[in-house]
Amino acid sequence: MQATLGGSHVDMDAREEGLPGKARFSAQQPRVGRWLSPFFLTCAVYFLLWSPENQPSWVGALVKCLPILYLVVFLWTVYPGGSYSLLLQGALLCSAVGDSCLVWPEAFLHGMAAFAVAHLLYLWAFGLAPLKPGLLLPILLASIPYYGLLLWHLPPDMVLPLTAYSLVLAVMLWRGLARGGSTCWGALLFTLSDAVLAWNIFVHPLPHAHLVVMATYYAAQILIALSAFQSPRLKSN
């Protein structure tokens, strides 16, 4: 079986060989794992080179973006076909733009806009089935108190942009949870990363905030990227 397989191909090959879709997906994990080694290497390089004393630079922005850009290359090479993979690649490219903008504090709004577009592309990819409206209640119960506290500390010019971004993020989280699989965990970690980042910037500096933000962010992106290799049966579970 080729490495460029989507969910339908996984199920087809599984039926041909008498294996369940889950078993075929598991059989591909070692091959996919070898492709992901550069992602973990570029993450390690970023954490080793980053320092709070670093001045914003294009070199620093490139190092920060390398893990995300590699995920684009990974999906394009290993799983080039299908609208789902293409939407993930577009979201990752927008995320890389957002990462670059956030290196410079004065470009924060531009970075937030780039990430909002990334979330919209993720929403497009995740779709509305299964709907699972019951997931909205716990999301609202967690989001409303947090953003209520956050809004008290925002500059006036940040209230509307951050409120709009928060709504897009919450909907992305809903659809990621509804989709299940690695998408669920990726959406949760992405939301956690953004929540820690916003609190650290606007409310109160947190110890090791940068490490927590970037570690959860990189983990979120790879988990969402890996959802391209799950069969429809796994996604529904």
Side-chain angles (χ1 to χ4, degrees):
M1 183 172 63
Q2 296 178 350
T4 57
L5 292 181
S8 60
H9 294 91
V10 172
D11 284 344
M12 181 181 298
D13 288 347
R15 288 193 296 269
E16 289 174 356
E17 300 183 22
L19 295 174
K22 186 174 182 179
R24 291 299 296 164
F25 176 75
S26 299
Q28 287 301 304
Q29 288 177 344
R31 188 169 186 176
V32 171
R34 288 195 295 271
W35 274 94
L36 289 176
S37 299
F39 170 79
F40 295 109
L41 177 61
T42 52
C43 287
V45 169
Y46 172 75
F47 286 118
L48 287 172
L49 294 181
W50 182 85
S51 169
E53 288 78 27
N54 289 346
Q55 295 299 313
S57 69
W58 285 108
V59 174
L62 177 61
V63 173
K64 183 181 182 183
C65 293
L66 277 179
I68 305 305
L69 294 175
Y70 178 76
L71 287 179
V72 177
V73 175
F74 164 69
L75 286 175
W76 180 76
T77 304
V78 182
Y79 190 0
S83 59
Y84 186 78
S85 177
L86 292 175
L87 288 170
L88 295 190
Q89 292 173 49
L92 288 166
L93 286 173
C94 290
S95 297
V97 173
D99 286 331
S100 299
C101 292
L102 293 184
V103 170
W104 289 270
E106 61 271 19
F108 183 84
L109 281 176
H110 297 85
M112 189 166 60
F115 275 114
V117 176
H119 291 317
L120 290 173
L121 289 172
Y122 279 141
L123 279 172
W124 189 358
F126 298 162
L128 294 176
L131 191 61
K132 295 188 178 180
L135 291 172
L136 287 170
L137 180 59
I139 292 174
L140 290 174
L141 290 177
S143 299
I144 291 176
Y146 172 83
Y147 287 110
L149 290 172
L150 185 63
L151 287 175
W152 283 101
H153 298 84
L154 292 179
D157 60 334
M158 289 296 299
V159 172
L160 285 179
L162 195 60
T163 300
Y165 177 82
S166 302
L167 288 173
V168 173
L169 179 63
V171 177
M172 188 279 294
L173 174 60
W174 168 41
R175 300 316 309 147
L177 293 175
R179 189 174 181 87
S182 64
T183 310
C184 168
W185 295 106
L188 278 170
L189 287 174
F190 214 134
T191 305
L192 174 62
S193 177
D194 280 0
V196 174
L197 175 64
W199 196 270
N200 183 67
I201 292 176
F202 298 111
V203 181
H204 183 73
L206 300 172
H208 310 296
H210 184 80
L211 176 62
V212 173
V213 167
M214 294 308 299
T216 52
Y217 168 70
Y218 285 144
Q221 294 284 34
I222 192 174
L223 285 169
I224 294 175
L226 287 175
S227 68
F229 298 89
Q230 293 179 325
S231 71
R233 183 183 306 164
L234 286 174
K235 290 172 184 174
S236 66
N237 290 336

